[in-house]
Amino acid sequence: MSADPGRRRYDSLRRSVQAQETRAEIARAALRLFVAQGWAATTVRDVAREAGVSVPTVYATYGNKTGLTMALADAGDLTADPSQMVAELEDPAAGPARQLAAMAAYDRRLFERAGGLINLVREAARSEPAFATTYGDARRRGDETRIRVFGSWPAGTLRDGLDVPTAVDIYAGMCNIDVYTTLAVERGWSPDQIERWWSEALARELLKR
């Protein structure tokens, strides 16, 4: 007698859920180890042991340590909700000051939620060309967003003597993971304080009064 079709469907769903749970547990284990002991010092065997799975399971799930970290980095970008920033930038009622605030809010979310990932990708970039490319591409995407936004403003919006490339450089010098970490960790600022200061300081530094 054949197995009940409904039971087979649920068995398939159960296997799918178990596979997702395994992927998530491997990712969580990898992130804990990467942050605690560094990317270079962490092996696939370490990740497997921490996650309670076999080494072949890690390879079958993510390919290798690089593939696992790439997946974590992509997930980190999404936690900052880039679609929210785009919606705020495209809001017809948003003038330059509000657009700067929207970009600062995105960076705050990114560094607050995925700062550990950004640092480990930057660490890995020192020895892994793939990570150097990933980190560089992320920085270029950020610059391209700012170029598009700043370049869309009417003439005379930027402070006297300031052009778009220099404005992009100033933004990058102010809103970055190192400044965020210094203020949040060393100086005890809250994420709200950092976002508010960024928004106000960017408007002062970039916009004509």
Side-chain angles (χ1 to χ4, degrees):
M1 184 175 179
S2 61
D4 175 46
R7 183 180 181 84
R8 285 203 302 272
R9 283 197 300 272
Y10 285 118
D11 284 344
S12 176
L13 176 60
R14 188 177 298 108
R15 285 194 296 272
S16 176
V17 169
Q18 288 171 344
Q20 290 176 340
E21 290 174 345
T22 298
R23 287 180 62 85
E25 184 52 43
I26 293 171
R28 286 193 292 267
L31 180 57
R32 288 195 297 270
L33 291 175
F34 289 158
V35 171
Q37 61 190 40
W39 185 88
T42 301
T43 66
V44 171
R45 186 174 298 278
D46 293 334
V47 173
R49 186 184 303 113
E50 179 76 9
V53 301
S54 68
V55 171
T57 296
V58 177
Y59 281 116
T61 303
Y62 286 104
N64 54 28
K65 189 168 74 169
T66 299
L68 172 57
T69 313
M70 291 290 197
L72 290 173
D74 288 342
D77 286 341
L78 293 176
T79 65
D81 197 358
S83 61
Q84 178 181 341
M85 179 185 68
V86 171
E88 292 171 345
L89 291 175
E90 292 180 339
D91 182 352
R98 283 181 57 185
Q99 288 182 319
L100 287 171
M103 288 187 284
Y106 170 82
D107 284 334
R108 170 261 177 98
R109 293 193 299 271
L110 180 63
F111 301 146
E112 181 182 10
R113 301 172 187 177
L117 283 173
I118 294 169
N119 283 327
L120 75 87
V121 169
R122 188 163 61 172
E123 175 200 346
R126 297 190 180 100
S127 58
E128 292 286 335
F131 285 110
T133 299
T134 297
Y135 185 73
D137 286 347
R139 296 297 298 270
R140 279 190 292 275
R141 286 196 301 272
D143 284 348
E144 288 167 1
T145 296
R146 292 157 205 147
I147 289 169
R148 285 197 296 270
V149 173
F150 299 170
S152 72
W153 291 343
T157 299
L158 289 173
R159 186 165 49 81
D160 288 343
L162 201 60
D163 57 15
V164 168
T166 306
V168 171
D169 290 343
I170 292 171
Y171 186 104
M174 293 176 62
C175 299
N176 60 65
I177 185 65
D178 295 312
V179 171
Y180 182 89
T181 301
T182 297
L183 293 176
V185 178
E186 296 182 16
R187 300 297 174 176
W189 284 32
S190 70
D192 283 343
Q193 283 179 291
I194 297 171
E195 179 184 338
R196 184 166 56 251
W197 174 69
W198 272 344
S199 299
E200 294 171 352
L202 286 167
R204 285 196 305 270
E205 290 297 319
L206 300 184
L207 303 182
K208 187 173 183 178
R209 299 183 181 180

